[in-house]
Amino acid sequence: MDGAEGDAERSTALNPLVSDPETIPFELPHPFLPDGSVAGEAAISCTKAGDIRIALTAETYADATVTVNGGLYDTSDWQARTVELSEEPIVITLKNIAPGDASLCMPGGYSVDVIPA
């Protein structure tokens, strides 16, 4: 990886998960597909280190603007950030504000807005 994606990593081999992912489905308009849209999913979970992990996938390639809101963790890097979605997950990691204390990790406190880029 060349680091150009910053906190977005195309890898699921980060810290192990300690919570079942909470999934949020979404659809993006896609003029080149027969039904005119592409389906995607955001899966939000906690790691053993107490980080929030958000994995974004889509059924085909689609450029999207992602905004993460809510919760206690810093989401400033994920305000209207453009990414290329695909079947390979884009993983957003929001770092724990109290490293090592997973008790603050509440995936249900976040919303993920995904709109066409």
Side-chain angles (χ1 to χ4, degrees), residues 79-104:
Q79 300 302 303
R81 188 159 167 184
T82 301
V83 297
E84 183 181 84
L85 299 176
S86 71
E87 291 177 348
E88 284 286 317
I90 295 256
V91 178
I92 299 168
T93 302
L94 304 177
K95 293 296 183 183
N96 188 350
I97 57 174
D101 180 5
S103 67
L104 295 174

Side-chain angles (χ1 to χ4, degrees), residues 24-98:
I24 303 169
F26 60 84
E27 285 199 14
L28 292 171
H30 200 296
F32 302 114
L33 292 178
D35 64 0
S37 67
V38 59
E41 182 177 86
I44 307 174
S45 54
C46 293
T47 68
K48 283 188 177 181
D51 298 336
I52 297 284
R53 183 184 304 161
I54 304 169
L56 299 171
T57 56
E59 63 186 354
T60 190
Y61 288 101
D63 290 328
T65 300
V66 176
T67 298
V68 178
N69 291 306
L72 300 172
Y73 296 10
D74 181 15
T75 61
S76 60
D77 285 347
W78 287 95
Q79 300 302 303
R81 188 159 167 184
T82 301
V83 297
E84 183 181 84
L85 299 176
S86 71
E87 291 177 348
E88 284 286 317
I90 295 256
V91 178
I92 299 168
T93 302
L94 304 177
K95 293 296 183 183
N96 188 350
I97 57 174

